[in-house]
Amino acid sequence: MQWSFPLFRVAGSELRIHITFFLILLWFGIIHFQQGGIAAAISGIAFILAIFACVLLHEFGHALAARRFGIATPRITLLPIGGLAEMERMPEKPSEEIIVAVAGPLVNVVIALILLIYLGFALDPEAISSLEDPTTGFIQRLAAVNIILVLFNMIPAFPMDGGRVLRALLAMRYTRVQATETAARIGQMTAFLFGFLGLLSGNVILIFVAIFVYIAAAAEAQQTLMIDITRTMAAREAMITKFESLAPGATLEDAAKALLRTTQHEFPVVDHEGKLLGILTRADLVSSTSEHGNDYPVVEAMQTEIPAFRTYDRLDKALAEMQKSKAPAIAVTDASQRLLGYITLENIGEVMMLRSARTS
Ligand SMILES: [Zn+2]
């Protein structure tokens, strides 16, 4: 099921909105209605929409900065916890990465300043702790939200903008891989500190933020590390070259025998010239056998959309293509499209394991 759907396109980016966003609107409308009737409900919903407009402008800040460096942002998604600008890639130069990362929070700094000027710099500190209280002024609360957005995003942990700034600063002195590893560790320590402060003060929101940051930091660091490591490698360095393949005339029964005989979970189906026709995975084998029986031809059960790369292509390109196409593997072929080997996510995992074993 699709949980987010497109609203409109602005400046080359498609704006998508997550379905739970409407639940938040509804929830806010209801609690305000209970407190002050229909007028309060409308102002409550308007407040949430204003917050999301600020989050959206934040994401466009990233997207516009990235565009200056020739990077497009095909999609911007509004999630209930914030926005997500999906850029084609991250800038490779640390200085450019810093500019792109800072551009988002900078938008909120500007919005907060404009609102503070409007308020004559008389921000009620109460506004920060009573965002949901409709008796505090609308502009007061919106200014407070923008200040919180800046502070939250500048937490020096992935996937916050502050984490990217930290990584880029470290990358000016160390290699990208070292910078990412160090930034991830600092991020998790920060999360730990937040969790500790949250427990001490009994602040539930702080504890949730800490858990979110801790989990997201690990996931983002893993993904970033994978890109960092594979960008310096060629496809040939990670490919499987010892494998059994199936002939186009093979049946699922032949494939089943091959599955038991080998440790492979993916079987390339190759024609008499050595060209790849498709890949049959263990899951395809199981589901097709139960549906069509043993004598079904493998060419009917295999997956045919397999991205192909050359031995000298960069491994990060192959990885990105595998993740984008959701293919079970990447084929590595020669100039006449004959199959030389293939790469699976498991291989890439082994590459990562070896890399971290060598450095520790
Ligand atoms: Zn941001």
Side-chain angles (χ1 to χ4, degrees):
M1 180 174 174
Q2 188 83 313
W3 288 99
S4 62
F5 55 88
L7 273 188
F8 50 83
R9 297 185 66 83
V10 192
S13 304
E14 182 186 73
L15 175 66
R16 300 180 70 88
I17 194 154
H18 199 267
I19 204 126
T20 44
F21 176 75
F22 294 99
L23 287 179
I24 293 194
L25 280 185
L26 189 69
W27 176 66
F28 234 71
I30 290 173
I31 54 167
H32 278 69
F33 181 77
Q34 286 171 339
Q35 285 171 4
I38 193 79
I42 290 171
S43 97
I45 288 174
F47 184 56
I48 291 287
L49 290 176
I51 293 179
F52 275 86
C54 294
V55 171
L56 191 64
L57 289 171
H58 171 115
E59 297 306 327
F60 273 108
H62 291 306
L64 290 179
R67 200 159 68 170
R68 280 201 47 195
F69 305 118
I71 301 169
T73 307
R75 258 198 314 274
I76 293 179
T77 307
L78 274 185
L79 300 164
I81 49 156
L84 182 68
E86 287 172 65
M87 291 170 220
E88 287 174 326
R89 58 188 170 83
M90 286 308 273
E92 303 197 355
K93 266 202 225 145
S95 58
E96 295 180 358
E97 194 177 6
I98 291 175
I99 292 172
V100 172
V102 167
L106 198 60
V107 170
N108 299 110
V109 169
V110 171
I111 297 173
L113 272 178
I114 292 172
L115 296 177
L116 285 175
I117 289 170
Y118 176 82
L119 291 167
F121 289 92
L123 182 69
D124 182 1
E126 284 281 295
I128 293 198
S129 53
S130 57
L131 288 177
E132 72 293 340
D133 180 0
T135 58
T136 314
F138 191 94
I139 302 291
Q140 289 271 352
R141 286 184 291 154
L142 199 58
V145 162
N146 278 281
I147 293 168
I148 292 171
L149 278 175
V150 173
L151 295 178
F152 181 68
N153 277 291
M154 291 318 285
I155 296 174
F158 291 124
M160 260 65 71
D161 298 325
R164 294 184 211 289
V165 173
L166 175 65
R167 199 272 292 268
L169 287 174
L170 289 165
M172 288 175 167
R173 282 207 59 167
Y174 309 98
T175 68
R176 266 180 86 91
V177 173
Q178 286 167 330
T180 303
E181 283 173 339
T182 310
R185 263 197 298 277
I186 295 175
Q188 293 204 314
M189 271 168 2
T190 311
F192 211 73
L193 194 71
F194 275 152
F196 188 65
L197 287 176
L199 284 176
L200 277 187
S201 61
N203 188 331
V204 181
I205 292 178
L206 207 52
I207 297 173
F208 271 118
V209 168
I211 294 172
F212 165 76
V213 169
Y214 194 87
I215 294 172
E220 168 101 13
Q222 186 68 15
Q223 173 70 16
T224 312
L225 263 186
M226 207 144 89
I227 295 168
D228 287 347
I229 290 173
T230 53
R231 67 195 289 144
T232 60
M233 295 175 70
R236 87 175 83 79
E237 294 176 76
M239 73 176 180
I240 300 172
T241 52
K242 263 195 155 173
F243 57 90
E244 272 199 34
S245 54
L246 298 166
T251 62
L252 290 182
E253 181 161 15
D254 300 324
K257 282 180 186 156
L259 179 73
L260 295 178
R261 187 167 64 229
T262 67
T263 54
Q264 279 170 245
H265 292 162
E266 294 85 16
F267 292 90
V269 180
V270 174
D271 71 8
H272 63 281
E273 289 179 309
K275 288 185 182 157
L276 180 75
L277 301 175
I279 287 184
L280 182 81
T281 67
R282 183 169 65 171
D284 300 333
L285 170 60
V286 171
S287 67
S288 285
T289 302
S290 73
E291 204 175 320
H292 305 286
N294 264 340
D295 298 328
Y296 199 64
V298 289
V299 285
E300 295 293 324
M302 69 187 183
Q303 301 183 34
T304 51
E305 302 285 311
I306 308 297
F309 283 80
R310 302 293 298 279
T311 47
Y312 48 76
D313 282 328
R314 262 164 56 171
L315 190 55
D316 62 332
K317 300 256 159 68
L319 175 68
E321 192 59 40
M322 179 160 24
Q323 291 179 332
K324 203 171 95 194
S325 65
K326 304 228 183 327
I330 293 288
V332 183
T333 59
D334 68 7
S336 34
Q337 280 135 40
R338 278 187 301 253
L339 183 70
L340 299 173
Y342 64 96
I343 302 167
T344 62
L345 267 187
E346 199 183 341
N347 277 82
I348 308 242
E350 285 167 353
V351 166
M352 304 276 296
M353 253 162 53
L354 290 173
R355 161 86 203 2
S356 64
R358 282 182 196 134
T359 48
S360 66

